[in-house]
Amino acid sequence: QVQLVESGGGLVQPGESLRLSCAASGFTFSNYAMNWYRQAPGKERVLVAQITSPGGSTNYAESVKGRFTISRDNAKNTVLLQMNSLKPEDTAVYYCNAVGPYYARETTLNRYWGQGTQVTVSW
């Protein structure tokens, strides 16, 4: 059974940091690109950061470049999102997403989602 379990969300003040973690199971983690999305109230879900595998190339939304860092540990089946200098506009539910395997055709890719973790940035 595929599972993506996010943790690490919470309430912080502007300028503070949080680290989100996503623990994966039920699929070959090292064959999947891993992504973090977020969805603010009343808005669409948007891609925040992604990391490929193999290779480990990363990509970020313009709004988080220089503040967020995505990383993965294939031995632990875990992907992290380090979020620094948080702003109120970063408030959202953050979702972990897996897409793969990397060798599959686009039409046959698997796409898995976690249940989300709330991040609130406020005074």
Side-chain angles (χ1 to χ4, degrees):
Q1 181 181 0
V2 171
Q3 280 194 311
L4 294 174
V5 180
E6 301 99 333
S7 61
L11 171 64
V12 296
Q13 295 184 350
E16 294 186 337
S17 299
L18 275 177
R19 188 176 75 168
L20 305 183
S21 179
C22 173
S25 61
F27 62 99
T28 306
F29 182 79
S30 59
N31 287 344
Y32 280 67
M34 297 301 299
N35 308 302
W36 284 99
Y37 283 75
R38 69 185 181 188
Q39 186 168 19
K43 296 188 177 180
E44 293 185 353
R45 192 174 298 187
V46 297
L47 180 64
V48 174
Q50 58 187 185
I51 185 166
T52 63
S53 187
S57 297
T58 58
N59 192 33
Y60 298 92
E62 284 296 325
S63 59
V64 306
K65 277 184 180 178
R67 300 189 297 122
F68 290 12
T69 302
I70 188 171
S71 61
R72 65 188 297 157
D73 186 335
N74 286 346
K76 296 181 179 179
N77 288 2
T78 301
V79 61
L80 302 176
L81 185 67
Q82 178 66 43
M83 304 186 296
N84 298 329
S85 302
L86 282 161
K87 304 175 180 180
E89 50 264 43
D90 294 318
T91 296
V93 178
Y94 284 70
Y95 296 91
C96 180
N97 166 253
V99 180
Y102 68 89
Y103 49 80
R105 292 181 295 177
E106 177 71 22
T107 55
T108 62
L109 288 170
N110 298 315
R111 303 176 189 274
Y112 306 130
W113 290 93
Q115 82 288 350
T117 186
Q118 177 71 47
V119 171
T120 303
V121 186
S122 176
W123 295 108

